[in-house]
Amino acid sequence: MIDFTAAQIAEITGGRLVADPDIIPTSVVTDSREAVRGSLYVAKPGEHADGHAYVGAAVAAGTVLTLCEREVKDDGGTTYPCVVVPDAVLAMGALAKAAVARIRADRAGRGERFTVVGITGSAGKTTTKDLVAGIFRTTPEGSATPASTVAPQGSYNGEVGVPLTVFRADESTRYLVIEMGATGIGHIQYLADMVKPDIGVVLFVGTAHAGEFGGVENIAKAKGELVEALATEGTAVLNADDPRVRAMEPRTRARLAFFTSHPEANAALAERGTLVAAHGATVDDGGSPVFDLAIGSEAPVHVSSRLIGAHHTSNLLAAAAAAHAAGVSAAQIGESLSAQGPGSRWRMQRTERADGVTVINDAYNANPESMRAALQTLADLGRGRRTWAVLGAMLELGDESIRAHTAVGTLVVRLNIDRLIVVGREARALYVSAVNEGSWGNETTFAETADEAFELLEHELAPGDLVLVKSSNGVGLGLLGDRIALAAPDGSTPHEERS
């Protein structure tokens, strides 16, 4: 973390200091249970709890300063050391913005480069973020020290998660990779103003959060805020295979890079920017993407990924384009992409049980597009095996929810998935749709809870079965996927295929 004194924090955030002005926090936390010696604890109001109630616990754990919206006193009536601000979350953002500016200035003063990569899109952000960070960490600059490449833990991609990622960086950081999520117009603009990305990647515009945005066109408008924020010397990395993303080209003044799985159809884009293309894209017997990567005029390199699913070809290309814009060679990029597996939990996370059952846990996120991709992967990998789809709700779809779940239920049947378990009432339209499409008897089952689904699977799974578990994170099926993966009947330890 960049060293800021309490007095500087108060000045940056416009807060009122009630503490020793020379205190210098060494880390930032928003959960009192994560507080350690030297922490700055942000007492933000939450949906279920007010962080101000845990100031005392944070201080007991070692917190030296609190960023809060009101003073909190100990049992003796003494105010805990704090900076009082009108809005703790906005204050976090202001402090993060100052931290990025300090890192950039300090490194420039030493003649050293600092590159910020921002990544947004309706699906694939976390996987692409992991891939980009993985590429950077294989370069001499990115791996020089543990802090040389900083990227989010999990899916820290909002107004709280992005600052927390920034606070892990310091003057030794060469690359800062930022995942940017949004649930409304202006959110990406706010995050981009905070971190000032040099490279902006837009992956895909889908229907995730369509209910909150008020339609897919508003999603496209919001995602494009990232490329609008780029400076002339920056690079906008656009998905040429998505018409809504490709249409963002006029919205940026930055240099352009396009990535595509259909190079013949998009060859003309090479005249307007760098073309990053997958030639001969296919999947191997394990369902992993394989292709020849061509970046601009550099010699093509072969990529044989360890990720699962043809849809990851687009994420691999996006990561390649971002890394190349940062100065990494095609050869280095290809070597790194071929070595990387899933970097974050519950994203096509494959486990081979000792009894021959394969579990693919993809329950961190779900929207109509990612659901279709995962089910297609299940069908492709499941040839000659009995396939199970254990599906929960896709959240935040608004008025499109019933229609979207109905479409997924129909797709499960048309892909000839052998068994379907639908978990939870929010996904019941999916179950009804599958039944109406002709999936009868025990082919389709509705379970009220994850426990019910687990009991059914525990009794009916057989050696050789292939199980996909997928839902939005808020449904909680990721934990069900973990239980299934660890439930090998002989008590042996399953093998989880991860990097």
Side-chain angles (χ1 to χ4, degrees):
M1 179 182 173
I2 292 294
D3 288 345
F4 288 116
T5 66
Q8 289 172 326
I9 292 171
E11 181 180 2
I12 290 166
T13 61
R16 177 171 57 86
L17 180 62
V18 187
D20 179 348
D22 296 324
I23 292 173
I24 300 177
T26 55
S27 64
V28 180
V29 297
T30 58
D31 186 332
S32 63
R33 294 167 296 184
E34 298 174 359
V36 295
R37 183 179 178 85
S39 293
L40 167 67
Y41 171 61
V42 181
K44 64 181 185 67
E47 293 182 14
H48 307 293
D50 184 351
H52 294 80
Y54 303 95
V55 169
V59 171
T63 285
V64 293
L65 186 68
T66 300
L67 195 60
C68 57
E69 297 177 6
R70 62 178 183 273
E71 292 184 27
V72 178
K73 301 180 185 296
D74 62 19
D75 292 340
T78 300
T79 300
Y80 289 114
C82 62
V83 174
V84 182
V85 295
D87 187 308
V89 173
L90 292 180
M92 278 184 76
L95 189 59
K97 182 176 181 177
V100 172
R102 172 84 70 82
I103 294 170
R104 196 178 292 278
D106 286 352
R107 290 187 64 86
R110 301 196 302 267
E112 297 173 341
R113 297 176 65 193
F114 176 59
T115 302
V116 179
V117 179
I119 301 170
T120 194
S122 298
K125 294 186 295 295
T126 299
T127 297
T128 304
K129 169 265 299 182
D130 289 336
L131 291 169
V132 171
I135 295 170
F136 288 155
R137 289 180 179 130
T138 63
T139 68
E141 286 185 294
S143 59
T145 68
S148 289
T149 298
V150 172
Q153 298 172 330
S155 271
Y156 277 16
N157 62 23
E159 59 185 0
V160 173
V162 170
L164 287 175
T165 298
V166 169
F167 294 140
R168 292 172 45 226
D170 59 26
E171 294 92 340
S172 71
T173 300
R174 169 66 179 87
Y175 299 105
L176 178 61
V177 183
I178 298 294
E179 180 179 335
M180 296 182 175
T183 55
I185 302 294
H187 292 181
I188 299 294
Q189 181 181 16
Y190 170 75
L191 297 175
D193 181 64
M194 184 189 304
V195 301
K196 297 290 193 293
D198 303 284
I199 300 167
V201 183
V202 185
L203 299 170
F204 175 70
V205 174
T207 55
H209 306 292
E212 293 173 287
F213 277 95
V216 69
E217 294 307 323
N218 281 339
I219 296 175
K221 182 178 180 181
K223 301 302 182 185
E225 292 170 359
L226 175 56
V227 299
E228 290 177 343
L230 298 171
T232 305
E233 61 273 18
T235 302
V237 177
L238 302 177
N239 183 356
D241 298 333
D242 184 333
R244 291 189 176 92
V245 177
R246 195 169 60 242
M248 295 176 188
E249 180 181 346
R251 296 173 62 180
T252 187
R253 53 186 172 162
R255 295 185 293 260
L256 294 166
F258 303 95
F259 61 94
T260 177
S261 298
H262 306 288
E264 297 79 9
N266 292 294
L269 293 177
E271 299 177 3
R272 305 204 295 274
T274 302
L275 189 63
V276 179
H279 291 269
T282 185
V283 294
D284 62 20
D285 292 341
S288 295
V290 177
F291 56 90
D292 289 327
L293 172 66
I295 304 180
S297 60
E298 293 195 45
V301 294
H302 187 67
V303 173
S304 182
S305 176
R306 293 174 54 206
L307 300 176
I308 301 171
H311 59 289
H312 281 308
T313 297
S314 183
N315 299 329
L316 291 157
L317 290 171
H324 190 264
V328 185
S329 70
Q332 286 178 297
I333 290 168
E335 183 177 354
S336 178
L337 292 180
S338 293
Q340 294 189 58
S344 294
R345 189 181 184 192
W346 300 344
R347 291 167 178 83
M348 298 303 280
Q349 180 180 333
R350 179 173 179 163
T351 303
E352 300 288 349
R353 293 189 352 183
D355 61 349
V357 171
T358 301
V359 181
I360 299 176
N361 190 343
D362 194 37
Y364 189 85
N365 190 26
N367 53 55
E369 294 81 16
S370 68
M371 191 72 85
R372 285 195 296 270
L375 287 169
Q376 184 63 61
T377 299
L378 175 64
D380 292 342
L381 290 177
R383 294 188 179 97
R385 307 177 68 175
R386 185 170 64 160
T387 50
W388 294 74
V390 183
L391 307 179
M394 301 175 287
L395 303 178
E396 300 169 337
L397 294 180
D399 293 341
E400 293 293 307
S401 181
I402 293 177
R403 183 195 62 79
H405 285 90
T406 297
V408 170
T410 301
L411 180 63
V412 170
V413 179
R414 293 182 180 178
L415 288 174
N416 294 314
I417 306 301
D418 296 302
R419 298 288 299 273
L420 169 66
I421 302 177
V422 179
V423 185
R425 291 206 163 268
E426 289 177 302
R428 189 166 178 84
L430 198 162
Y431 166 77
V432 172
S433 172
V435 171
N436 289 341
E437 189 66 18
S439 184
W440 302 324
N442 68 349
E443 292 177 345
T444 295
T445 304
F446 177 76
E448 290 277 0
T449 66
D451 287 341
E452 288 182 27
F454 179 75
E455 287 182 19
L456 188 153
L457 289 160
E458 194 173 30
H459 287 97
E460 297 198 26
L461 282 179
D465 285 0
L466 176 63
V467 186
L468 168 72
V469 182
K470 188 162 182 64
S471 71
S472 288
N473 190 33
V475 177
L477 292 198
L479 295 174
L480 172 62
D482 288 346
R483 290 178 68 190
I484 299 166
L486 294 171
D490 61 359
S492 60
T493 302
H495 172 63
E496 181 181 334
E497 295 187 354
R498 295 187 63 185
S499 61

